[in-house]
Amino acid sequence: MAYHQTIGARRHRFDDLRTLLARASPARSGDLLAGVAASDEEERMAARMALADVPLRSFLSEPAVPAEEDEVSRLILSQHDATAFAPVAHLTVGAFRDWLLSEAADAAALERLAWGLTPEMVAAVSKLMRNQDLVLAARKRRVVSAFRTTIGLPGRLSVRLQPNHGTDDPRGIVASTIDGLMYGCGDAVIGINPAGDNLANIVELLKVLDAIRERFAIPTQSCVLTHVTQSIRAIEAGAPLDLVFQSIGGTQKTNESFGISLALLDEAAAAVASLRRGTVGSNAMYFETGQGSALSANAHHGVDQQTIEARAYAVARRYAPLLVNTVVGFIGPEYLYDGKQIVRAGLEDHFCGKLLGVPMGCDVCYTNHAEADQDDMDTLLTMLGVAGVNFIMGVPGADDVMLNYQSTSFHDALYLRESLGLKRAPEFEAWLERMGIAGADGRLLGGAARGQALLGMAEAVGVGS
């Protein structure tokens, strides 16, 4: 079906819904590279005007990627709950935007609606929203998950402690881990991106992290961010694995480029569930996503990168994950050129994930060849904090020495918590108080008291002071 919009003397034609979505997207380098972006601002506005009049029902009959050639499209259609959709089924995309920003769209209403929405619906409405709209609507929706800590509760912000090391040296990893714990980070997960991905190394890193957790009775979960097949092998080898990690995308071909399928993820989810290592919950999957991954794999089917990204959340929610985060600026300026595009993409991803019922976090980050800096990251970090993001990254000095990109530091988490009055996961906050790292109010204790805690932990694991 073709869509039309006239502005002045110029009549714009969009051949199908996929084209309309792409032309309505905010400008970004990835869509220009793919040849799907609007040719100018007038065409972009025309596409948005036409998109505002599209009934939400249209996305059920015209998927962005044909279902007969894509298992993610088939998954999206199978997930759709007509009963949940009924309260908004009569709305157009523009009217849906107005409803989302109204008082009628409260937390309970959005929770009931989640399985009635498809990724294309939420991607479409995001294209009509300003940044503040994305913040306001996402803030209403809380998605709570739990394993050894409870993540996503109102008024709380969790942090993934990311102690990566260029050679996977256990002493370096342990030192960075203790450093992060002293700043009150690690309640989302202590997660390592391994430099070496062989099974023996993965198992050793899992043992290192689990030994720290057991030694100090830390109520958190650990993860080595290896390929899902390695996690399955580690489980079979008896390794102390808490969470299964995998990068995922919004099309079958993208996932095939990652070496995965829904059937493989089903196998991994069943394997980790059988371990029953959680204490306060059983959410045991961790997924990462990012705009541009489908285009980089030539697996985008002519769909804009933000819509494809939203489709990845349909894959994620199938497995009731503990954590999902968009690594928003990591893929590089070919896909998100500058700070403005990165900020916008991060807010879009968080909004779309939350509306679909996904426990969204964000790696607020950029690569050193992007037209972005730490001030841009401060802007995105602050806006996501206001929007109720579940978790962010905690990287020593905000500079990942193994992956060579810029993220957020332990201090950035302190800033956000202090500025917005956000607490940590309740189980973790109680542990910090027991360890003498933080007081009953959640604030870190002064230098002498915290120094004693640091010295005690360092000596206990043989790292030194």
Side-chain angles (χ1 to χ4, degrees):
M1 175 181 175
Y3 300 84
H4 301 87
Q5 185 68 44
T6 300
I7 297 182
R10 186 176 171 190
R11 181 173 172 82
H12 299 269
R13 174 189 169 94
F14 309 98
D15 289 336
D16 50 32
L17 194 49
R18 175 180 62 186
T19 302
L20 182 63
L21 286 168
R23 302 297 193 269
S25 256
R28 61 205 56 194
S29 51
D31 289 341
L32 287 171
L33 182 64
V36 303
S39 58
D40 55 31
E41 288 303 317
E42 181 180 305
E43 185 183 26
R44 180 170 290 111
M45 183 53 66
R48 289 175 178 168
M49 293 169 68
L51 181 60
D53 291 333
V54 173
L56 289 179
R57 289 186 182 277
S58 298
F59 296 97
L60 298 174
S61 58
E62 194 176 349
V65 182
E68 58 269 20
E69 60 187 71
D70 185 84
E71 70 172 359
V72 176
S73 291
R74 294 192 292 274
L75 172 67
I76 289 168
L77 293 174
S78 70
Q79 286 179 339
H80 184 254
D81 184 330
T83 302
F85 181 55
V88 299
H90 63 290
L91 298 179
T92 62
V93 176
F96 184 44
R97 172 193 176 273
D98 293 343
W99 180 82
L100 285 172
L101 299 177
S102 74
E103 292 183 0
D106 59 16
L110 292 177
E111 183 175 358
R112 290 192 299 269
L113 180 62
W115 289 95
L117 298 175
T118 69
E120 287 88 350
M121 291 176 191
V122 298
V125 75
S126 77
K127 298 175 193 298
L128 305 184
M129 302 177 94
R130 292 171 55 186
N131 285 0
Q132 67 174 243
D133 298 337
L134 297 172
V135 170
L136 176 61
R139 182 175 176 80
K140 300 179 183 184
R141 179 70 164 105
R142 304 303 310 193
V143 182
V144 179
S145 58
F147 191 78
R148 292 194 190 95
T149 55
T150 306
I151 301 167
L153 293 168
R156 309 239 174 207
L157 169 74
S158 294
V159 177
R160 170 189 160 188
L161 202 172
Q162 187 169 309
N164 294 346
H165 192 278
T167 63
D168 289 337
D169 183 343
R171 287 173 59 84
I173 288 169
V174 171
S176 293
T177 298
I178 293 175
D179 188 23
L181 292 170
M182 288 300 116
Y183 283 98
C185 296
D187 51 339
V189 65
I190 303 173
I192 300 172
N193 298 93
D197 202 36
N198 64 80
L199 181 59
N201 188 56
I202 299 305
V203 171
E204 179 60 27
L205 291 176
L206 287 169
K207 289 179 178 178
V208 167
L209 293 181
D210 201 57
I212 298 173
R213 185 188 63 80
E214 289 278 6
R215 175 67 180 80
F216 301 106
I218 308 172
T220 191
Q221 36 284 329
S222 63
C223 184
V224 175
L225 282 67
T226 185
H227 192 268
V228 64
T229 53
Q230 292 287 60
S231 292
I232 293 172
R233 294 185 185 112
I235 291 171
E236 292 170 345
L241 185 145
D242 291 337
L243 308 180
V244 166
F245 167 83
Q246 183 56 50
S247 295
I248 57 173
T251 70
Q252 179 177 334
K253 288 183 177 179
T254 307
N255 288 327
E256 287 172 350
S257 77
F258 291 142
I260 63 169
S261 64
L262 296 181
L264 180 59
L265 293 177
D266 289 347
E267 179 185 351
V272 73
S274 70
L275 300 179
R276 301 181 183 275
R277 290 174 59 85
T279 55
V280 297
S282 58
N283 304 115
M285 300 292 280
Y286 176 13
F287 297 117
E288 285 189 345
T289 66
Q291 291 192 29
S293 60
L295 177 57
S296 69
N298 194 27
H300 61 296
H301 296 268
V303 181
D304 69 273
Q305 66 184 40
Q306 188 259 328
T307 299
I308 291 290
E309 169 71 7
R311 286 167 52 94
Y313 306 144
V315 177
R317 68 176 176 174
R318 173 182 175 90
Y319 302 100
L322 178 73
L323 308 166
V324 178
N325 72 269
T326 168
V327 192
V328 66
F330 183 74
I331 199 165
E334 300 87 352
Y335 306 95
L336 295 170
Y337 179 72
D338 57 14
K340 181 176 181 179
Q341 293 187 12
I342 292 171
V343 168
R344 174 70 190 190
L347 296 176
E348 290 169 345
D349 295 350
H350 178 254
F351 163 82
C352 289
K354 282 290 183 65
L355 253 62
L356 291 168
V358 172
M360 285 299 295
C362 183
D363 191 343
V364 179
C365 64
Y366 65 100
T367 57
N368 287 312
H369 61 310
E371 291 295 321
D373 58 26
Q374 212 66 40
D375 286 338
D376 296 313
M377 299 307 101
D378 287 349
T379 299
L380 177 55
L381 176 67
T382 304
M383 295 186 77
L384 285 172
V386 175
V389 71
N390 280 27
F391 68 103
I392 61 170
M393 305 299 122
V395 177
D399 185 359
D400 193 297
V401 297
M402 197 280 285
L403 294 175
N404 293 310
Y405 79 116
Q406 309 303 308
S407 184
T408 45
S409 71
F410 307 145
H411 299 81
D412 292 328
L414 288 180
Y415 147 73
L416 200 58
R417 285 170 170 151
E418 177 70 20
S419 298
L420 301 178
L422 300 173
K423 295 185 175 183
R424 303 167 185 87
E427 302 85 355
F428 193 80
E429 199 145 78
W431 176 81
L432 291 173
E433 183 180 358
R434 290 196 303 271
M435 291 293 292
I437 298 171
D441 58 359
R443 291 178 176 271
L444 297 181
L445 296 179
R450 201 153 49 98
Q452 278 300 115
L454 171 61
L455 182 61
M457 291 187 76
E459 290 178 342
V461 296
V463 172
S465 60

